[in-house]
Amino acid sequence: MGRAATAVAALAAAAIALAPFLAGDGFVYHVAILVAIEGLLAVSLHLTLRIGQLSLAQGGFMGIGAYASALLARDAGLPFPLALVGAVVIAAAIAAALGTVILRVRGVQFALLTFGLGEAIVLIFVEFVVPFGGNNGLMGIPPASLGPLSLQARPAFYGFALAVVFLVLLAVRGLLAGTPGMVLRSLADNEPLSRSLGTDELAWRRLVFAASAAVAAISGSLYAHYLGYISPEAFNVGATVKALIMNVVGGVGLLAGPLIGALILVPLPELFRASVRYQQLLYGLSLLALMLFLPRGLGGLLAGRSRP
Amino acid sequence: MTAQLELRNLSRHFGGIRAVDGVSFAIAPGRITGLVGPNGAGKSTLFNVVTGTIRPSGGTVLFEGRPLAAGQPGAMARRGLIRSFQSTMSWPELGVRRHLEQAALLRALAAPRLLLRRGRIAEARRRAARLADDILEFTGLAAVAEAPVATLPYGSQKIVGVAMALAAEPTLLLADEPAAGLNGAETLAMEALLRRIHRERGVSLVVVEHDLPMIMRLCDRLIALADGRVIADGTPAEVRRSRHFIEAYLGSDADAA
């Protein structure tokens, strides 16, 4: 992208991000918050796609973040920011430990393995009624707040979510676009070469996998404290598949891709709400059309051939 | 003095096929060693086991007295055992200088924890740039430093493959068929480059090559493989006289050599 195009894209992104404040409508805020939360999950999946490994466990990591944050805040009495940080550390540590074993597997096998992992995580939430509440999930999760500043009102929570998305994007960009990104691209494009030059591929993949779990956990923590209630099925493989569709619709090769995808897919069902009977069908058909006519995703329209 | 590279009873089977079958040899530091053998003799498999790309079925590889950690491709490279590349088309659109810088950077940033050291990336980048300049000069690639590798003649691309390995600062360089596909003049240039890498940069070499005349001129020692076993080991003159070696090559390159 040229300088002018980048400026236009940045302005457009800012306009879209700030639009809910102008609309000032409760439902618009609600949808915008869900876009941010589901967009973060899509960004976490995007990270694993960048190392050429499709992880279907991201919904599970989002669940780990949600349950950890909820329990840390509700039962351990930690303030929301500490519960969020704790959830991120727990999810990243679990991913790093599991990654040492499962990242040795590649391709379809990795997708299947993480599918199993994601389902196992959800089953743990279902089976261990103490402390996870079983199928009923957890209720009475304290609303988010920053010190004396309550984030319970939707505009405040949306503002916070927006800031979090921005910071996450900066961090992910630092990982994918800079020198570490060069190492990761080389690993994805030409593994034998990287290996011959000494790249510790497992350590690099583990770093990205842990980072992806951290981002998923942020998404989960926001989700838990926004709704005040969580249940296991919200974090099953369906959530991950939705995040995958967001990546494909938005453009897999572009960092903004997952967010563009979330921006389209989260509100999409609402557009068809008038015709409830055909909602799912119309949703499916729109997806088909997007993938047929824009195989590189909507982001591909903007980005030309460049990678961020 | 410990051997720089030692193979002890190394073997690698694929199903019933013994691609490498009980190979032992030790290489002293500072030598140029040739590895020859007809197609299917096990040279490539041996290379892949030594570099840690595939696991051995049995036996041990020691580099500078320490064994190879199984299942850790890249570990040998981090210890200074670097292989050259048959294919240099990793980033076809990038220039030669960028290839060398990337190779040096990949080597410098092998493990992500190195990123945690403050200033490590900036330092690695500066060092990679210096190293790239030095190697461009050394290999005679300075004139085409900015040319995309895809636009270079094949002979120069092969030189880039060796130069990239040099950018990773090996103590032992494994050159994988450096002369394959090269014409007479290009082969001589490659041979001269390998000799200079050995003499002027103090790098030991193990060279796998089909071009027997070239490898016999280049090496102090030849190890001949056939059917996964060592059939001859000695100076090029000794190996050339060996009955097993002549049999393995009967009627082919042996006459020319």
PDB file of all heavy atoms in Angstrom, chain B residues 167-203:
ATOM      1  N   ALA B 167      27.539 -17.115   5.671  1.00  0.00           N
ATOM      2  CA  ALA B 167      26.969 -16.040   6.483  1.00  0.00           C
ATOM      3  C   ALA B 167      26.523 -16.577   7.846  1.00  0.00           C
ATOM      4  O   ALA B 167      26.340 -15.813   8.787  1.00  0.00           O
ATOM      5  CB  ALA B 167      25.805 -15.386   5.759  1.00  0.00           C
ATOM      6  N   ALA B 168      26.327 -17.882   7.928  1.00  0.00           N
ATOM      7  CA  ALA B 168      25.950 -18.486   9.207  1.00  0.00           C
ATOM      8  C   ALA B 168      27.179 -18.858  10.027  1.00  0.00           C
ATOM      9  O   ALA B 168      27.066 -19.491  11.075  1.00  0.00           O
ATOM     10  CB  ALA B 168      25.080 -19.716   8.974  1.00  0.00           C
ATOM     11  N   GLU B 169      28.364 -18.472   9.532  1.00  0.00           N
ATOM     12  CA  GLU B 169      29.637 -18.647  10.255  1.00  0.00           C
ATOM     13  C   GLU B 169      29.878 -20.076  10.750  1.00  0.00           C
ATOM     14  O   GLU B 169      29.913 -20.328  11.959  1.00  0.00           O
ATOM     15  CB  GLU B 169      29.716 -17.658  11.414  1.00  0.00           C
ATOM     16  CG  GLU B 169      29.621 -16.227  10.933  1.00  0.00           C
ATOM     17  CD  GLU B 169      29.766 -15.243  12.056  1.00  0.00           C
ATOM     18  OE1 GLU B 169      28.761 -14.972  12.734  1.00  0.00           O
ATOM     19  OE2 GLU B 169      30.885 -14.767  12.268  1.00  0.00           O
ATOM     20  N   PRO B 170      30.039 -20.986   9.806  1.00  0.00           N
ATOM     21  CA  PRO B 170      30.275 -22.383  10.199  1.00  0.00           C
ATOM     22  C   PRO B 170      31.704 -22.607  10.668  1.00  0.00           C
ATOM     23  O   PRO B 170      32.609 -21.855  10.297  1.00  0.00           O
ATOM     24  CB  PRO B 170      30.039 -23.136   8.885  1.00  0.00           C
ATOM     25  CG  PRO B 170      30.388 -22.156   7.819  1.00  0.00           C
ATOM     26  CD  PRO B 170      30.043 -20.789   8.359  1.00  0.00           C
ATOM     27  N   THR B 171      31.886 -23.622  11.504  1.00  0.00           N
ATOM     28  CA  THR B 171      33.247 -24.120  11.727  1.00  0.00           C
ATOM     29  C   THR B 171      33.468 -25.350  10.831  1.00  0.00           C
ATOM     30  O   THR B 171      34.577 -25.652  10.460  1.00  0.00           O
ATOM     31  CB  THR B 171      33.475 -24.522  13.195  1.00  0.00           C
ATOM     32  OG1 THR B 171      32.411 -25.384  13.603  1.00  0.00           O
ATOM     33  CG2 THR B 171      33.476 -23.301  14.089  1.00  0.00           C
ATOM     34  N   LEU B 172      32.343 -26.020  10.524  1.00  0.00           N
ATOM     35  CA  LEU B 172      32.408 -27.122   9.559  1.00  0.00           C
ATOM     36  C   LEU B 172      31.298 -26.902   8.540  1.00  0.00           C
ATOM     37  O   LEU B 172      30.132 -26.771   8.908  1.00  0.00           O
ATOM     38  CB  LEU B 172      32.218 -28.467  10.265  1.00  0.00           C
ATOM     39  CG  LEU B 172      32.123 -29.711   9.369  1.00  0.00           C
ATOM     40  CD1 LEU B 172      33.419 -29.935   8.608  1.00  0.00           C
ATOM     41  CD2 LEU B 172      31.792 -30.951  10.187  1.00  0.00           C
ATOM     42  N   LEU B 173      31.683 -26.831   7.273  1.00  0.00           N
ATOM     43  CA  LEU B 173      30.704 -26.588   6.212  1.00  0.00           C
ATOM     44  C   LEU B 173      30.456 -27.883   5.449  1.00  0.00           C
ATOM     45  O   LEU B 173      31.395 -28.514   4.969  1.00  0.00           O
ATOM     46  CB  LEU B 173      31.235 -25.505   5.260  1.00  0.00           C
ATOM     47  CG  LEU B 173      30.418 -25.200   4.011  1.00  0.00           C
ATOM     48  CD1 LEU B 173      29.070 -24.612   4.373  1.00  0.00           C
ATOM     49  CD2 LEU B 173      31.170 -24.245   3.100  1.00  0.00           C
ATOM     50  N   LEU B 174      29.200 -28.296   5.385  1.00  0.00           N
ATOM     51  CA  LEU B 174      28.834 -29.451   4.578  1.00  0.00           C
ATOM     52  C   LEU B 174      28.349 -28.936   3.238  1.00  0.00           C
ATOM     53  O   LEU B 174      27.305 -28.282   3.170  1.00  0.00           O
ATOM     54  CB  LEU B 174      27.709 -30.238   5.247  1.00  0.00           C
ATOM     55  CG  LEU B 174      27.955 -30.839   6.626  1.00  0.00           C
ATOM     56  CD1 LEU B 174      26.727 -31.618   7.085  1.00  0.00           C
ATOM     57  CD2 LEU B 174      29.157 -31.765   6.601  1.00  0.00           C
ATOM     58  N   ALA B 175      29.112 -29.197   2.193  1.00  0.00           N
ATOM     59  CA  ALA B 175      28.724 -28.702   0.867  1.00  0.00           C
ATOM     60  C   ALA B 175      28.033 -29.827   0.118  1.00  0.00           C
ATOM     61  O   ALA B 175      28.616 -30.873  -0.135  1.00  0.00           O
ATOM     62  CB  ALA B 175      29.949 -28.215   0.102  1.00  0.00           C
ATOM     63  N   ASP B 176      26.766 -29.600  -0.203  1.00  0.00           N
ATOM     64  CA  ASP B 176      25.935 -30.634  -0.804  1.00  0.00           C
ATOM     65  C   ASP B 176      25.935 -30.465  -2.323  1.00  0.00           C
ATOM     66  O   ASP B 176      25.269 -29.587  -2.848  1.00  0.00           O
ATOM     67  CB  ASP B 176      24.511 -30.498  -0.233  1.00  0.00           C
ATOM     68  CG  ASP B 176      23.657 -31.711  -0.551  1.00  0.00           C
ATOM     69  OD1 ASP B 176      24.184 -32.652  -1.169  1.00  0.00           O
ATOM     70  OD2 ASP B 176      22.477 -31.698  -0.181  1.00  0.00           O
ATOM     71  N   GLU B 177      26.704 -31.299  -3.011  1.00  0.00           N
ATOM     72  CA  GLU B 177      26.836 -31.251  -4.461  1.00  0.00           C
ATOM     73  C   GLU B 177      27.037 -29.835  -4.988  1.00  0.00           C
ATOM     74  O   GLU B 177      26.225 -29.325  -5.768  1.00  0.00           O
ATOM     75  CB  GLU B 177      25.598 -31.889  -5.120  1.00  0.00           C
ATOM     76  CG  GLU B 177      25.389 -33.312  -4.608  1.00  0.00           C
ATOM     77  CD  GLU B 177      24.532 -34.157  -5.528  1.00  0.00           C
ATOM     78  OE1 GLU B 177      24.292 -33.701  -6.672  1.00  0.00           O
ATOM     79  OE2 GLU B 177      24.144 -35.251  -5.125  1.00  0.00           O
ATOM     80  N   PRO B 178      28.111 -29.196  -4.568  1.00  0.00           N
ATOM     81  CA  PRO B 178      28.315 -27.802  -4.977  1.00  0.00           C
ATOM     82  C   PRO B 178      28.508 -27.639  -6.483  1.00  0.00           C
ATOM     83  O   PRO B 178      28.223 -26.568  -7.017  1.00  0.00           O
ATOM     84  CB  PRO B 178      29.584 -27.386  -4.213  1.00  0.00           C
ATOM     85  CG  PRO B 178      30.285 -28.658  -3.907  1.00  0.00           C
ATOM     86  CD  PRO B 178      29.205 -29.669  -3.705  1.00  0.00           C
ATOM     87  N   ALA B 179      28.978 -28.691  -7.175  1.00  0.00           N
ATOM     88  CA  ALA B 179      29.270 -28.534  -8.603  1.00  0.00           C
ATOM     89  C   ALA B 179      28.160 -29.094  -9.489  1.00  0.00           C
ATOM     90  O   ALA B 179      28.254 -29.019 -10.711  1.00  0.00           O
ATOM     91  CB  ALA B 179      30.594 -29.202  -8.953  1.00  0.00           C
ATOM     92  N   ALA B 180      27.088 -29.633  -8.883  1.00  0.00           N
ATOM     93  CA  ALA B 180      26.039 -30.250  -9.706  1.00  0.00           C
ATOM     94  C   ALA B 180      25.423 -29.218 -10.641  1.00  0.00           C
ATOM     95  O   ALA B 180      25.040 -28.130 -10.215  1.00  0.00           O
ATOM     96  CB  ALA B 180      24.961 -30.854  -8.805  1.00  0.00           C
ATOM     97  N   GLY B 181      25.353 -29.560 -11.915  1.00  0.00           N
ATOM     98  CA  GLY B 181      24.710 -28.690 -12.892  1.00  0.00           C
ATOM     99  C   GLY B 181      25.587 -27.559 -13.395  1.00  0.00           C
ATOM    100  O   GLY B 181      25.138 -26.722 -14.171  1.00  0.00           O
ATOM    101  N   LEU B 182      26.844 -27.506 -12.930  1.00  0.00           N
ATOM    102  CA  LEU B 182      27.723 -26.413 -13.363  1.00  0.00           C
ATOM    103  C   LEU B 182      28.539 -26.838 -14.584  1.00  0.00           C
ATOM    104  O   LEU B 182      28.879 -28.006 -14.753  1.00  0.00           O
ATOM    105  CB  LEU B 182      28.677 -26.030 -12.229  1.00  0.00           C
ATOM    106  CG  LEU B 182      28.039 -25.521 -10.942  1.00  0.00           C
ATOM    107  CD1 LEU B 182      29.119 -25.042  -9.977  1.00  0.00           C
ATOM    108  CD2 LEU B 182      27.050 -24.402 -11.232  1.00  0.00           C
ATOM    109  N   ASN B 183      28.877 -25.850 -15.431  1.00  0.00           N
ATOM    110  CA  ASN B 183      29.747 -26.157 -16.568  1.00  0.00           C
ATOM    111  C   ASN B 183      31.207 -26.143 -16.107  1.00  0.00           C
ATOM    112  O   ASN B 183      31.499 -25.878 -14.935  1.00  0.00           O
ATOM    113  CB  ASN B 183      29.492 -25.180 -17.729  1.00  0.00           C
ATOM    114  CG  ASN B 183      29.868 -23.742 -17.370  1.00  0.00           C
ATOM    115  OD1 ASN B 183      30.785 -23.509 -16.585  1.00  0.00           O
ATOM    116  ND2 ASN B 183      29.150 -22.792 -17.942  1.00  0.00           N
ATOM    117  N   GLY B 184      32.131 -26.411 -17.017  1.00  0.00           N
ATOM    118  CA  GLY B 184      33.544 -26.565 -16.663  1.00  0.00           C
ATOM    119  C   GLY B 184      34.115 -25.363 -15.937  1.00  0.00           C
ATOM    120  O   GLY B 184      34.706 -25.483 -14.849  1.00  0.00           O
ATOM    121  N   ALA B 185      33.891 -24.175 -16.488  1.00  0.00           N
ATOM    122  CA  ALA B 185      34.460 -22.963 -15.897  1.00  0.00           C
ATOM    123  C   ALA B 185      33.835 -22.697 -14.531  1.00  0.00           C
ATOM    124  O   ALA B 185      34.527 -22.342 -13.571  1.00  0.00           O
ATOM    125  CB  ALA B 185      34.234 -21.781 -16.828  1.00  0.00           C
ATOM    126  N   GLU B 186      32.522 -22.907 -14.448  1.00  0.00           N
ATOM    127  CA  GLU B 186      31.832 -22.658 -13.179  1.00  0.00           C
ATOM    128  C   GLU B 186      32.315 -23.642 -12.110  1.00  0.00           C
ATOM    129  O   GLU B 186      32.462 -23.285 -10.947  1.00  0.00           O
ATOM    130  CB  GLU B 186      30.317 -22.802 -13.370  1.00  0.00           C
ATOM    131  CG  GLU B 186      29.699 -21.670 -14.167  1.00  0.00           C
ATOM    132  CD  GLU B 186      28.259 -21.968 -14.592  1.00  0.00           C
ATOM    133  OE1 GLU B 186      27.862 -23.158 -14.627  1.00  0.00           O
ATOM    134  OE2 GLU B 186      27.541 -21.003 -14.906  1.00  0.00           O
ATOM    135  N   THR B 187      32.559 -24.883 -12.524  1.00  0.00           N
ATOM    136  CA  THR B 187      33.045 -25.885 -11.577  1.00  0.00           C
ATOM    137  C   THR B 187      34.398 -25.470 -11.014  1.00  0.00           C
ATOM    138  O   THR B 187      34.645 -25.559  -9.811  1.00  0.00           O
ATOM    139  CB  THR B 187      33.162 -27.261 -12.267  1.00  0.00           C
ATOM    140  OG1 THR B 187      31.888 -27.619 -12.760  1.00  0.00           O
ATOM    141  CG2 THR B 187      33.654 -28.318 -11.298  1.00  0.00           C
ATOM    142  N   LEU B 188      35.276 -24.970 -11.892  1.00  0.00           N
ATOM    143  CA  LEU B 188      36.591 -24.521 -11.435  1.00  0.00           C
ATOM    144  C   LEU B 188      36.465 -23.359 -10.463  1.00  0.00           C
ATOM    145  O   LEU B 188      37.166 -23.300  -9.453  1.00  0.00           O
ATOM    146  CB  LEU B 188      37.465 -24.112 -12.640  1.00  0.00           C
ATOM    147  CG  LEU B 188      37.979 -25.272 -13.488  1.00  0.00           C
ATOM    148  CD1 LEU B 188      38.758 -24.747 -14.682  1.00  0.00           C
ATOM    149  CD2 LEU B 188      38.844 -26.213 -12.644  1.00  0.00           C
ATOM    150  N   ALA B 189      35.542 -22.459 -10.752  1.00  0.00           N
ATOM    151  CA  ALA B 189      35.346 -21.307  -9.870  1.00  0.00           C
ATOM    152  C   ALA B 189      34.842 -21.778  -8.499  1.00  0.00           C
ATOM    153  O   ALA B 189      35.303 -21.290  -7.456  1.00  0.00           O
ATOM    154  CB  ALA B 189      34.355 -20.327 -10.496  1.00  0.00           C
ATOM    155  N   MET B 190      33.916 -22.737  -8.499  1.00  0.00           N
ATOM    156  CA  MET B 190      33.387 -23.273  -7.239  1.00  0.00           C
ATOM    157  C   MET B 190      34.489 -23.958  -6.448  1.00  0.00           C
ATOM    158  O   MET B 190      34.614 -23.783  -5.233  1.00  0.00           O
ATOM    159  CB  MET B 190      32.238 -24.248  -7.538  1.00  0.00           C
ATOM    160  CG  MET B 190      31.621 -24.892  -6.311  1.00  0.00           C
ATOM    161  SD  MET B 190      30.879 -23.714  -5.165  1.00  0.00           S
ATOM    162  CE  MET B 190      29.283 -23.410  -5.929  1.00  0.00           C
ATOM    163  N   GLU B 191      35.296 -24.732  -7.178  1.00  0.00           N
ATOM    164  CA  GLU B 191      36.400 -25.447  -6.524  1.00  0.00           C
ATOM    165  C   GLU B 191      37.360 -24.444  -5.869  1.00  0.00           C
ATOM    166  O   GLU B 191      37.767 -24.626  -4.710  1.00  0.00           O
ATOM    167  CB  GLU B 191      37.138 -26.273  -7.588  1.00  0.00           C
ATOM    168  CG  GLU B 191      38.210 -27.171  -7.028  1.00  0.00           C
ATOM    169  CD  GLU B 191      39.023 -27.837  -8.140  1.00  0.00           C
ATOM    170  OE1 GLU B 191      38.466 -28.066  -9.234  1.00  0.00           O
ATOM    171  OE2 GLU B 191      40.214 -28.092  -7.917  1.00  0.00           O
ATOM    172  N   ALA B 192      37.685 -23.374  -6.596  1.00  0.00           N
ATOM    173  CA  ALA B 192      38.601 -22.364  -6.060  1.00  0.00           C
ATOM    174  C   ALA B 192      37.994 -21.698  -4.828  1.00  0.00           C
ATOM    175  O   ALA B 192      38.687 -21.453  -3.836  1.00  0.00           O
ATOM    176  CB  ALA B 192      38.893 -21.315  -7.131  1.00  0.00           C
ATOM    177  N   LEU B 193      36.667 -21.436  -4.879  1.00  0.00           N
ATOM    178  CA  LEU B 193      36.004 -20.797  -3.744  1.00  0.00           C
ATOM    179  C   LEU B 193      36.067 -21.696  -2.499  1.00  0.00           C
ATOM    180  O   LEU B 193      36.404 -21.238  -1.405  1.00  0.00           O
ATOM    181  CB  LEU B 193      34.547 -20.473  -4.088  1.00  0.00           C
ATOM    182  CG  LEU B 193      33.717 -19.904  -2.933  1.00  0.00           C
ATOM    183  CD1 LEU B 193      34.263 -18.563  -2.473  1.00  0.00           C
ATOM    184  CD2 LEU B 193      32.250 -19.765  -3.336  1.00  0.00           C
ATOM    185  N   LEU B 194      35.762 -22.985  -2.692  1.00  0.00           N
ATOM    186  CA  LEU B 194      35.777 -23.914  -1.552  1.00  0.00           C
ATOM    187  C   LEU B 194      37.174 -23.978  -0.944  1.00  0.00           C
ATOM    188  O   LEU B 194      37.347 -23.984   0.274  1.00  0.00           O
ATOM    189  CB  LEU B 194      35.311 -25.301  -1.991  1.00  0.00           C
ATOM    190  CG  LEU B 194      33.832 -25.400  -2.402  1.00  0.00           C
ATOM    191  CD1 LEU B 194      33.517 -26.794  -2.936  1.00  0.00           C
ATOM    192  CD2 LEU B 194      32.917 -25.066  -1.239  1.00  0.00           C
ATOM    193  N   ARG B 195      38.201 -24.010  -1.803  1.00  0.00           N
ATOM    194  CA  ARG B 195      39.587 -24.051  -1.336  1.00  0.00           C
ATOM    195  C   ARG B 195      39.914 -22.804  -0.502  1.00  0.00           C
ATOM    196  O   ARG B 195      40.550 -22.894   0.543  1.00  0.00           O
ATOM    197  CB  ARG B 195      40.520 -24.096  -2.565  1.00  0.00           C
ATOM    198  CG  ARG B 195      41.592 -25.145  -2.486  1.00  0.00           C
ATOM    199  CD  ARG B 195      42.523 -25.003  -3.662  1.00  0.00           C
ATOM    200  NE  ARG B 195      42.066 -25.758  -4.827  1.00  0.00           N
ATOM    201  CZ  ARG B 195      42.213 -27.076  -4.941  1.00  0.00           C
ATOM    202  NH1 ARG B 195      42.766 -27.766  -3.970  1.00  0.00           N
ATOM    203  NH2 ARG B 195      41.814 -27.701  -6.019  1.00  0.00           N
ATOM    204  N   ARG B 196      39.437 -21.650  -0.986  1.00  0.00           N
ATOM    205  CA  ARG B 196      39.709 -20.400  -0.259  1.00  0.00           C
ATOM    206  C   ARG B 196      38.939 -20.352   1.066  1.00  0.00           C
ATOM    207  O   ARG B 196      39.432 -19.816   2.054  1.00  0.00           O
ATOM    208  CB  ARG B 196      39.347 -19.197  -1.131  1.00  0.00           C
ATOM    209  CG  ARG B 196      40.379 -18.944  -2.226  1.00  0.00           C
ATOM    210  CD  ARG B 196      40.003 -17.727  -3.059  1.00  0.00           C
ATOM    211  NE  ARG B 196      39.762 -16.550  -2.236  1.00  0.00           N
ATOM    212  CZ  ARG B 196      38.677 -15.785  -2.317  1.00  0.00           C
ATOM    213  NH1 ARG B 196      37.733 -16.087  -3.186  1.00  0.00           N
ATOM    214  NH2 ARG B 196      38.543 -14.748  -1.547  1.00  0.00           N
ATOM    215  N   ILE B 197      37.726 -20.897   1.079  1.00  0.00           N
ATOM    216  CA  ILE B 197      36.960 -20.937   2.336  1.00  0.00           C
ATOM    217  C   ILE B 197      37.745 -21.722   3.376  1.00  0.00           C
ATOM    218  O   ILE B 197      37.857 -21.337   4.534  1.00  0.00           O
ATOM    219  CB  ILE B 197      35.571 -21.579   2.103  1.00  0.00           C
ATOM    220  CG1 ILE B 197      34.679 -20.623   1.313  1.00  0.00           C
ATOM    221  CG2 ILE B 197      34.902 -21.947   3.427  1.00  0.00           C
ATOM    222  CD1 ILE B 197      33.367 -21.240   0.850  1.00  0.00           C
ATOM    223  N   HIS B 198      38.354 -22.808   2.918  1.00  0.00           N
ATOM    224  CA  HIS B 198      39.139 -23.655   3.807  1.00  0.00           C
ATOM    225  C   HIS B 198      40.408 -22.936   4.270  1.00  0.00           C
ATOM    226  O   HIS B 198      40.697 -22.859   5.454  1.00  0.00           O
ATOM    227  CB  HIS B 198      39.485 -24.951   3.070  1.00  0.00           C
ATOM    228  CG  HIS B 198      40.402 -25.840   3.831  1.00  0.00           C
ATOM    229  ND1 HIS B 198      41.684 -26.101   3.405  1.00  0.00           N
ATOM    230  CD2 HIS B 198      40.234 -26.523   4.985  1.00  0.00           C
ATOM    231  CE1 HIS B 198      42.272 -26.905   4.274  1.00  0.00           C
ATOM    232  NE2 HIS B 198      41.412 -27.180   5.235  1.00  0.00           N
ATOM    233  N   ARG B 199      41.131 -22.375   3.302  1.00  0.00           N
ATOM    234  CA  ARG B 199      42.447 -21.821   3.600  1.00  0.00           C
ATOM    235  C   ARG B 199      42.336 -20.470   4.324  1.00  0.00           C
ATOM    236  O   ARG B 199      42.985 -20.240   5.324  1.00  0.00           O
ATOM    237  CB  ARG B 199      43.248 -21.664   2.307  1.00  0.00           C
ATOM    238  CG  ARG B 199      44.741 -21.457   2.553  1.00  0.00           C
ATOM    239  CD  ARG B 199      45.488 -21.223   1.261  1.00  0.00           C
ATOM    240  NE  ARG B 199      45.136 -22.203   0.241  1.00  0.00           N
ATOM    241  CZ  ARG B 199      44.881 -21.887  -1.025  1.00  0.00           C
ATOM    242  NH1 ARG B 199      44.928 -20.629  -1.428  1.00  0.00           N
ATOM    243  NH2 ARG B 199      44.585 -22.827  -1.898  1.00  0.00           N
ATOM    244  N   GLU B 200      41.474 -19.590   3.786  1.00  0.00           N
ATOM    245  CA  GLU B 200      41.475 -18.211   4.288  1.00  0.00           C
ATOM    246  C   GLU B 200      40.504 -18.003   5.455  1.00  0.00           C
ATOM    247  O   GLU B 200      40.678 -17.092   6.240  1.00  0.00           O
ATOM    248  CB  GLU B 200      41.132 -17.234   3.147  1.00  0.00           C
ATOM    249  CG  GLU B 200      42.204 -17.223   2.072  1.00  0.00           C
ATOM    250  CD  GLU B 200      41.806 -16.412   0.850  1.00  0.00           C
ATOM    251  OE1 GLU B 200      41.011 -15.451   1.011  1.00  0.00           O
ATOM    252  OE2 GLU B 200      42.253 -16.752  -0.251  1.00  0.00           O
ATOM    253  N   ARG B 201      39.463 -18.815   5.559  1.00  0.00           N
ATOM    254  CA  ARG B 201      38.508 -18.611   6.645  1.00  0.00           C
ATOM    255  C   ARG B 201      38.598 -19.715   7.699  1.00  0.00           C
ATOM    256  O   ARG B 201      37.852 -19.697   8.689  1.00  0.00           O
ATOM    257  CB  ARG B 201      37.076 -18.525   6.096  1.00  0.00           C
ATOM    258  CG  ARG B 201      36.899 -17.357   5.138  1.00  0.00           C
ATOM    259  CD  ARG B 201      35.470 -17.195   4.685  1.00  0.00           C
ATOM    260  NE  ARG B 201      34.683 -16.317   5.536  1.00  0.00           N
ATOM    261  CZ  ARG B 201      34.570 -15.007   5.351  1.00  0.00           C
ATOM    262  NH1 ARG B 201      35.206 -14.413   4.368  1.00  0.00           N
ATOM    263  NH2 ARG B 201      33.820 -14.279   6.145  1.00  0.00           N
ATOM    264  N   GLY B 202      39.494 -20.678   7.472  1.00  0.00           N
ATOM    265  CA  GLY B 202      39.715 -21.711   8.479  1.00  0.00           C
ATOM    266  C   GLY B 202      38.510 -22.617   8.721  1.00  0.00           C
ATOM    267  O   GLY B 202      38.314 -23.109   9.823  1.00  0.00           O
ATOM    268  N   VAL B 203      37.704 -22.809   7.689  1.00  0.00           N
ATOM    269  CA  VAL B 203      36.517 -23.648   7.836  1.00  0.00           C
ATOM    270  C   VAL B 203      36.837 -25.050   7.326  1.00  0.00           C
ATOM    271  O   VAL B 203      37.392 -25.187   6.228  1.00  0.00           O
ATOM    272  CB  VAL B 203      35.326 -23.055   7.042  1.00  0.00           C
ATOM    273  CG1 VAL B 203      34.118 -23.966   7.100  1.00  0.00           C
ATOM    274  CG2 VAL B 203      34.993 -21.660   7.537  1.00  0.00           C
TER     275      VAL B 203
END
